[in-house]
Amino acid sequence: MDDPEREPCLWITEHLTPYGTVSHGVKQLYASKQTKYQSMIIADIGPYGKALVLDGRIQTTTGDEYLYHEPIIHLPSLLHGRPKKVLILGGADLGAAREALKWKTVEEVVVIDIDGDVVELCAKHLPEIAQDSADDERCKLIIGDALKYIDETDEKYDVIIGDLTDPIENSPSIELFTRSFYEKIKQCLNESGVYVTQAGTISLQEEKVFPRVANTLKTLFKEVVPFSSFIPTYGTPLGFLVSSDSKLVINLTPDEIDEKLDSNLHKGRETLRFLDGTSFLGLFGLPANVRSSIQSESIVYK
């Protein structure tokens, strides 16, 4: 019989900086594979449940994924008001699709992820995250390259979600955070469309990418609003950026936001674990030094 107090003999250790790490002990290993694109592990890491790990970085866990998926979907959807067509770039675990499908107005959710092996193994080992998303007739899953898709599609979307890998300078991932990429994103948006992307840590001691991504978006969109959410298994607060050429109205009261959630979501707020009017407003409370860094940043990823 397993001893629940026994110290794990296998650990997943992720470097946040060359000098700092975050580690999680493994209770059970469900899958380990080198795909065409990346190494992947799905493992039970104890208090946070089952985790998807790609190239040594935790992407999501069953224990705290809602702290990521709820804001990345519902915040831009609330700011848009009545999204009908949603495009999710990345999102192999279908957690973002699950949240988008809660909207009464949503008629189509397209998820495009390049790694079919990750999609398949998430469906097998992480069904708690996707739930019944794949069976919803409004959901279309495409195994393909997000860059190629937005370059070739004639479709227009109300909300586009950048559920992408972390932006890391001098790595291939930064290509998804450049002005040239965002120009293509903008072409895929409807006139009042909204784009949101996760953009790395807001801890400036660890990384300077977040204000640079913000500044890059500001060269194309009239409105760029930063927000953040703390997902414990990431070990650092994660930054997001929501952008549009339409006015992004965030100065609502908690009661106004609660009413919008209740009237626009199937079953209202009872399906949400994190987001309500109070937490929605709290997402925008970035530290003063981060806001100042965004204002003073001059670098643009081209």
Side-chain angles (χ1 to χ4, degrees), residues 17-31:
T17 73
Y19 304 95
T21 64
V22 59
S23 297
H24 299 276
V26 174
K27 288 182 66 178
Q28 183 175 349
L29 184 65
Y30 292 97

Side-chain angles (χ1 to χ4, degrees), residues 212-278:
R212 293 171 182 173
V213 175
N215 193 52
T216 302
L217 284 163
K218 284 162 65 176
T219 66
L220 285 169
F221 291 94
K222 294 177 181 177
E223 296 265 314
V224 178
V225 178
F227 64 100
S228 70
S229 180
F230 183 69
I231 299 96
T233 48
Y234 292 172
T236 186
L238 186 66
F240 301 81
L241 295 156
V242 58
S243 307
S244 182
D245 279 341
S246 295
K247 180 67 176 175
L248 297 176
V249 179
I250 63 173
N251 58 340
L252 302 171
T253 68
D255 287 343
E256 287 173 324
I257 297 162
D258 286 341
E259 191 280 327
K260 287 179 181 291
L261 290 169
D262 286 335
S263 61
N264 283 293
L265 301 187
H266 295 289
K267 299 184 179 179
R269 282 174 292 154
E270 71 178 71
T271 66
L272 304 179
R273 300 173 63 189
F274 168 61
L275 201 68
D276 62 6
T278 299

Side-chain angles (χ1 to χ4, degrees), residues 36-48:
K36 180 180 177 181
Y37 301 99
Q38 57 207 329
S39 67
M40 72 167 294
I41 290 172
I42 296 179
D44 186 329
I45 59 169
Y48 295 104

